[in-house]
Amino acid sequence: MSIRIIATTAVAAGTLAALSAVPAHATEYSSALKIRGIQYDAPGSDSNNCRTGNTDEEYLTIRNYSSGTTVNLKGYVVKDKANNRFAFTANHYLQPGDYVKLRGGNGNDSDAKNVVYRDNCNFMWNNDKDSIYLYKPSGAGADSHSYTKSGNDRDGNGYITYHN
């Protein structure tokens, strides 16, 4: 009897140790879609002029990591920490392994070119740091990431953890 209690206690202690090794900030969602990367500081001097600005050089890449499910982005929402948001209002299908770049500015959305434009010439992401949240149509979290620009990050594409 006492051997069984000791063994059970050892297993429970090992489980607690393994769980405590996971960082508290590492929230992982059960979603095929993941934030793959970001260009948060558009090259050049920032200008949100719709005709001559560079907001289309600011983008977020979202990838479908499913091995067999096509995902329709319609209804998904992207937000930042300040609650700036973009909702995918049209059908845009991501095949398994495919990605889309959500760009600022105006342009023609294209499944073939893997691009959706926000049709908004204001910058969405902060140039120094921000948090990005991807929500499913149900409102449940799909993925989130934060970035902070450092002196070594001259291209403004940040240091976020990428999912492979």
Side-chain angles (χ1 to χ4, degrees):
M1 182 76 156
S2 63
I3 294 174
R4 183 177 293 167
I5 292 171
I6 292 170
T8 303
T9 304
V11 170
T15 302
L16 286 175
L19 289 174
S20 66
V22 176
H25 67 280
T27 302
E28 191 62 37
Y29 298 99
S30 60
S31 170
L33 297 185
K34 302 289 182 192
I35 297 168
R36 174 67 178 118
I38 183 170
Q39 177 68 48
Y40 59 82
D41 188 359
S45 297
D46 286 351
S47 170
N48 59 5
N49 181 302
C50 282
R51 197 171 39 83
T52 61
N54 62 339
T55 55
D56 63 335
E57 295 299 319
E58 179 183 83
Y59 60 84
L60 175 70
T61 304
I62 300 169
R63 183 171 175 183
N64 179 358
Y65 282 88
S66 168
S67 61
T69 304
T70 298
V71 178
N72 184 358
L73 290 175
K74 185 175 184 177
Y76 276 80
V77 174
V78 175
K79 290 184 182 180
D80 75 346
K81 196 169 189 172
N83 218 19
N84 295 308
R85 67 187 307 263
F86 172 82
F88 290 90
T89 58
N91 291 323
H92 188 90
Y93 296 95
L94 289 182
Q95 304 297 324
D98 203 4
Y99 69 92
V100 65
K101 283 188 177 182
L102 173 60
R103 290 189 173 277
N106 297 311
N108 295 319
D109 296 352
S110 171
D111 279 343
K113 294 183 179 179
N114 295 356
V115 66
V116 171
Y117 287 87
R118 290 190 357 253
D119 292 327
N120 184 326
C121 296
N122 293 320
F123 290 97
M124 187 164 179
W125 319 120
N126 296 332
N127 286 352
D128 59 346
K129 63 183 177 180
D130 210 339
S131 295
I132 303 162
Y133 308 95
L134 176 64
Y135 295 97
K136 298 176 184 181
S138 67
D143 199 17
S144 66
H145 281 290
S146 297
Y147 64 85
T148 301
K149 186 172 185 171
S150 73
N152 296 330
D153 184 21
R154 300 199 195 320
D155 61 2
N157 62 9
Y159 293 106
I160 63 174
T161 303
Y162 297 117
H163 302 275
N164 292 320

